[in-house]
Amino acid sequence: SVIGGGSWATALVKVLSDRNKVNWWVRKEETRDFIKQHRHNPNYLTDVEIRLEHVDVGCDLEAALSAGDMVVLAVPSAFLHPTMAGIKPGTLRSRTVFSAIKGIVPESLSVVGDYMHRQFDIPVDRIGVITGPCHAEEVALEKLSYLTIACQDTVRAEQLGSMLTCRYLNTAISDDIYGTEYAAVLKNVIAIASGICRGLGYGDNFQAVLIASAIREIKRFVDAVHPISRDINDAAYLGDLLVTAYSQFSRNRMFGNMIGKGYSVHSAQMEMKMVAEGYYAVRCIHELNKKHNASLPICNAVYRILYENASPRQEMATLSASLG
């Protein structure tokens, strides 16, 4: 079962339905009806044809969650708690749940895996993460792409990996669910910083230094939260950061670019008509880091710009003097 109606949900449904029966939950009845009539999502990745002979589209969340042994969550993190509010814990206890969400649940200040474990009593070894380096748009275009599937029970990760692996999509397996998930959250914040710098007129030379500093910042935080042996230069960490910070498809980079050009947060959100996960994530990371006290100069600068109305130009000028 795939839960969500956005780009990643659509891309995952496309890949999974090539060889599997998929139950797809979307929030709005008009979206469900459009997909059933036209075989396309009316709002996201509109060129992707939905194989309705393999896809059952509906708006009954409890039914979708109960329909399959494996559930993939692909709704924005800011809306996960209200989306799941009416679901009984027993509905998910015996299922394997993978999150394709790159954000933190604001109500609990926790990554999605922790939230699902505490809220629905799902064993940790039945919870996993789908992360990059990958954009849904390129998966939809069938461009060669890579995903990392993380779960403490790597057999479950391998099971989902085999379902997703195809001519244009490769998968790697990891047992680092906390590191990969927090890194996926932080790279969205960094992508906003990258976009702000682009909007302010900084060039590629500075961007290179910014991202080199950012991967060290991510390492400091994930090592503080979950200190295990990991290579931060692996694709799941560094690769995911690079594609999000540089790609034309990155919503967070686009959002930051608009902020750098002088848009207010509200006007940038309204014009994008899409969710930039990094906007919500940076506030949550700011609160979480009060406990861990990792050095996060880039994240702190983005937080002050977005939530304290600090000058983007002044914050990035101050930041640039400390990088390198």
Side-chain angles (χ1 to χ4, degrees):
S1 297
V2 176
I3 309 302
S7 297
W8 259 116
T10 306
L12 290 168
V13 166
K14 168 188 166 63
V15 178
L16 289 168
S17 63
D18 279 345
R19 289 172 293 173
N20 306 275
K21 175 68 175 178
V22 178
N23 295 279
W24 185 12
W25 176 85
V26 296
R27 182 170 59 89
K28 296 181 179 179
E29 291 182 357
E30 53 265 37
T31 302
R32 175 201 62 192
D33 295 343
F34 186 97
I35 293 170
K36 286 188 172 183
Q37 181 177 354
H38 300 285
R39 303 173 71 94
H40 296 275
N41 188 331
N43 302 308
Y44 300 93
L45 303 183
T46 54
D47 291 335
V48 171
E49 181 178 356
I50 306 303
R51 297 164 55 90
L52 290 177
E53 60 272 24
H54 293 165
V55 179
D56 184 9
V57 189
C59 296
D60 186 331
L61 180 57
E62 186 108 26
L65 293 171
S66 303
D69 293 333
M70 187 174 292
V71 174
V72 176
L73 301 174
V75 298
S77 60
F79 308 128
L80 180 62
H81 184 70
T83 296
M84 303 293 290
I87 301 302
K88 300 172 184 175
T91 303
L92 291 166
R93 192 173 294 129
S94 63
R95 281 159 177 75
T96 300
V97 178
F98 280 91
S99 168
I101 303 169
K102 314 301 192 298
I104 289 178
V105 182
E107 290 82 359
S108 60
L109 289 181
S110 62
V111 286
V112 174
D114 269 349
Y115 169 81
M116 296 302 293
H117 171 61
R118 295 172 184 170
Q119 192 79 5
F120 297 101
D121 196 27
I122 306 170
V124 173
D125 65 355
R126 286 182 173 270
I127 295 172
V129 179
I130 304 172
T131 187
C134 201
H135 279 301
E137 290 81 359
E138 290 199 351
V139 173
L141 292 169
E142 299 189 3
K143 290 183 177 291
L144 183 60
S145 300
Y146 297 79
L147 286 175
T148 301
I149 315 296
C151 184
Q152 286 189 357
D153 183 346
T154 55
V155 172
R156 298 182 193 277
E158 289 168 356
Q159 182 183 2
L160 179 59
S162 67
M163 294 180 185
L164 290 168
T165 300
C166 62
R167 171 177 53 82
Y168 54 89
L169 186 58
N170 294 322
T171 57
I173 305 303
S174 171
D175 62 358
D176 184 15
I177 58 170
Y178 295 103
T180 54
E181 193 164 13
Y182 275 112
V185 171
L186 283 161
K187 54 94 175 176
N188 284 333
V189 178
I190 303 303
I192 291 178
S194 176
I196 291 172
C197 291
R198 178 64 66 187
L200 289 170
Y202 286 79
D204 293 341
N205 294 340
F206 175 75
Q207 291 279 352
V209 174
L210 177 71
I211 302 308
S213 299
I215 193 62
R216 296 194 294 270
E217 185 163 317
I218 291 173
K219 177 174 171 56
R220 288 194 293 271
F221 187 82
V222 297
D223 284 353
V225 171
H226 189 56
I228 65 169
S229 177
R230 63 172 62 87
D231 186 352
I232 204 68
N233 295 314
D234 281 350
Y237 314 99
L238 178 57
D240 205 17
L241 169 64
L242 292 173
V243 74
T244 308
Y246 289 134
S247 174
Q248 62 178 322
F249 295 120
S250 173
R251 299 175 187 180
N252 292 282
R253 185 177 188 273
M254 183 190 307
F255 177 72
N257 186 51
M258 295 169 75
I259 298 297
K261 288 181 179 297
Y263 284 73
S264 68
V265 168
H266 179 71
S267 60
Q269 289 173 323
M270 292 295 290
E271 183 159 326
M272 282 182 61
K273 298 179 182 178
M274 296 183 293
V275 174
E277 287 276 20
Y279 169 73
Y280 301 99
V282 71
R283 182 179 67 85
C284 297
I285 291 293
H286 181 78
E287 292 301 319
L288 282 171
N289 200 42
K290 291 178 180 178
K291 172 184 176 182
H292 300 291
N293 201 31
S295 175
L296 306 178
I298 303 172
C299 289
N300 290 339
V302 173
Y303 175 81
R304 288 190 290 268
I305 291 168
L306 298 185
Y307 286 92
E308 296 182 350
N309 203 31
S311 162
R313 186 168 299 280
Q314 183 175 335
E315 284 293 330
M316 289 305 162
T318 300
L319 180 67
S320 67
S322 67
L323 299 181

